[in-house]
Amino acid sequence: MNAAKRIAATLSHRKTDRIPVCPILAGITRKLTGVSYPDWSQNAELCAQSFLRAAEEFDVDCIVTLIDLSVECDAWGQPLVFPENAAAHPDYSRPVVADVDGYAAIKKADYKSSRRMMMHLEVCRRLSAELKGQKPVVAFVFGPLGILSMLRGQQDLFLDLYDDPDAVKAATAEINETLKEYCSAILQTGVDAIMLDTLFASGSIMSEAMWDDAEGEAIEELCDHIRAEGGTVMLHNCGFSPYFDAQIRRMQPAAISFLHPPAECADFADCKARYGDVTLIGCVTPTNAIQGTDEEWAAECRQMIDIFAPGGSFILATGCEYPANADFDRAQMMIDIAKTYRPKI
């Protein structure tokens, strides 16, 4: 059973030969080809080569095309900063939406005019061409409210949701129209799924009701669009206490990638009992790849297997991106554990 068949079986809740594994190797892959972080995140050929090298050198079961959360906001002209050793981010001193009146200027954009969105499309195309039938390629896309926060700034966006929620929702809807066309183009590259990041649907950021009102309708439309185009929807939310019920109701994801127990559950065991009919991806703490001991890292990997693997429908993974400036040792350790360790029954 190769990686493609293993992941397909996991998503279909069928038995696999072993536990699928996917430390989310993203920015760190630049180390395999010796390119700089800015070049890796702006050059499709270099980025794809790095992902492909990771697929070749590490027996991961899928590739997630997480570059950074600033890819899509480029379509609306948001100035960005490209640090030497960290992910790109908006130039917070120059937000596109400078005040609450600025939301009215956010209209549907042409994704083809965005250098970074087109770069991501080319990465997806190159990966799909090389890995089809061998390892699934999962395209990573920030949700519409998250993109709007890149144009406004998170703190100001939250305040605006109190002061003028209609303006925020109108801008979110316009961004979503761009995302529909963008996701259609992504699917045409041959990727196996699209993973949508709904960062704000978590207790560490806003209430469930506020998230559902602000992004729920838009994200539901986007997921329905992806499925209508023949795509598979996955969900990523690494926030604290993510709202699983609300997101499942809106998105009906085939799989959920997460870091913390959902708001509806007391712990991970409760999560498995309640949501075991959804493929769950996680939940090893990424920062532990650069802190603690090897023994502690291995123990956490085995703990997640013990909790989530019985009954299947589980992919062992980091709960978010594997640290871009870490060593690969613990990623390899996670892969080896997935191959050899069997859950305690």
Side-chain angles (χ1 to χ4, degrees):
M1 180 174 279
N2 70 4
K5 292 179 179 178
R6 191 174 296 116
I7 293 295
T10 301
L11 294 176
S12 300
H13 312 294
R14 292 182 281 111
K15 187 176 181 180
T16 58
D17 59 334
R18 65 164 173 82
I19 297 162
V21 60
C22 179
I24 302 178
L25 303 177
I28 192 174
T29 63
R30 75 194 191 282
K31 294 184 175 183
L32 298 173
T33 52
V35 300
S36 71
Y37 214 133
D39 286 343
W40 177 84
S41 60
Q42 297 180 84
N43 184 302
E45 181 178 3
L46 297 178
C47 186
Q49 286 176 353
S50 299
F51 275 124
L52 289 170
R53 183 69 65 82
E56 179 183 320
E57 295 196 15
F58 299 94
D59 198 11
V60 295
D61 284 301
C62 66
I63 297 293
V64 179
T65 67
L66 171 55
I67 298 172
D68 55 67
L69 299 183
S70 302
V71 169
E72 295 86 2
C73 67
D74 175 69
W76 287 269
Q78 176 58 51
L80 302 175
V81 177
F82 292 89
E84 283 300 315
N85 291 297
H89 60 79
D91 181 344
Y92 299 113
S93 68
R94 296 189 290 164
V96 166
V97 180
D99 53 44
V100 71
D101 294 330
Y103 289 109
I106 301 301
K107 302 297 182 182
K108 177 185 175 183
D110 183 358
Y111 74 87
K112 292 188 291 292
S113 69
S114 167
R115 180 176 58 86
R116 299 207 74 209
M117 292 171 91
M118 294 302 290
M119 175 258 186
H120 180 225
L121 280 168
E122 181 61 21
V123 170
C124 290
R125 186 174 295 109
R126 288 170 179 261
L127 295 180
S128 297
E130 291 290 332
L131 299 175
K132 200 66 177 177
Q134 303 172 51
K135 294 180 187 290
V137 177
V138 178
F140 192 94
V141 175
F142 208 8
L145 189 63
I147 295 170
L148 187 57
S149 76
M150 298 285 102
L151 304 174
R152 173 62 169 146
Q154 288 189 14
Q155 184 173 346
D156 288 324
L157 177 71
F158 302 153
L159 293 174
D160 295 339
L161 279 169
Y162 286 104
D163 296 336
D164 195 346
D166 289 340
V168 176
K169 287 189 286 185
T172 301
E174 292 288 340
I175 290 171
N176 209 44
E177 291 305 307
T178 300
L179 289 182
K180 290 176 185 177
E181 294 186 354
Y182 178 51
C183 286
S184 293
I186 288 174
L187 291 172
Q188 290 170 11
T189 68
V191 301
D192 298 273
I194 294 178
M195 181 177 284
L196 299 172
D197 186 341
T198 55
L199 177 62
F200 299 124
S202 59
S204 55
I205 299 180
M206 59 178 60
S207 72
E208 180 177 341
M210 177 178 276
W211 173 77
D212 192 67
D213 183 58
E215 190 176 35
E217 183 176 344
I219 205 72
E220 182 175 344
E221 287 183 5
L222 182 57
C223 292
D224 287 346
H225 175 83
I226 292 169
R227 280 188 289 268
E229 295 279 293
T232 297
V233 174
M234 293 184 178
L235 159 64
H236 176 79
N237 191 305
C238 58
F240 181 76
S241 293
Y243 305 122
F244 271 26
D245 283 352
Q247 292 180 95
I248 290 172
R249 183 174 64 252
R250 288 292 193 179
M251 302 175 68
Q252 301 173 46
I256 303 177
S257 165
F258 64 112
L259 176 58
H260 300 286
E264 298 83 359
C265 299
D267 52 27
F268 286 127
D270 192 14
C271 174
K272 173 65 176 180
R274 181 167 178 146
Y275 299 106
D277 57 342
V278 179
T279 296
L280 301 174
I281 306 173
C283 304
V284 179
T285 308
T287 53
N288 287 348
I290 53 176
Q291 62 189 22
T293 65
D294 287 349
E295 290 75 15
E296 290 168 338
W297 173 263
E300 187 177 7
C301 291
R302 290 192 293 266
Q303 179 188 36
M304 293 305 161
I305 292 173
D306 286 338
I307 294 171
F308 289 109
S313 301
F314 172 63
I315 300 172
L316 178 66
T318 46
C320 196
E321 177 182 359
Y322 190 89
N325 296 308
D327 294 326
F328 287 100
D329 296 357
R330 291 185 180 174
Q332 184 62 61
M333 189 182 303
M334 174 184 283
I335 294 165
D336 292 341
I337 288 171
K339 290 181 176 181
T340 59
Y341 185 72
R342 293 297 172 262
K344 297 176 181 177
I345 304 298

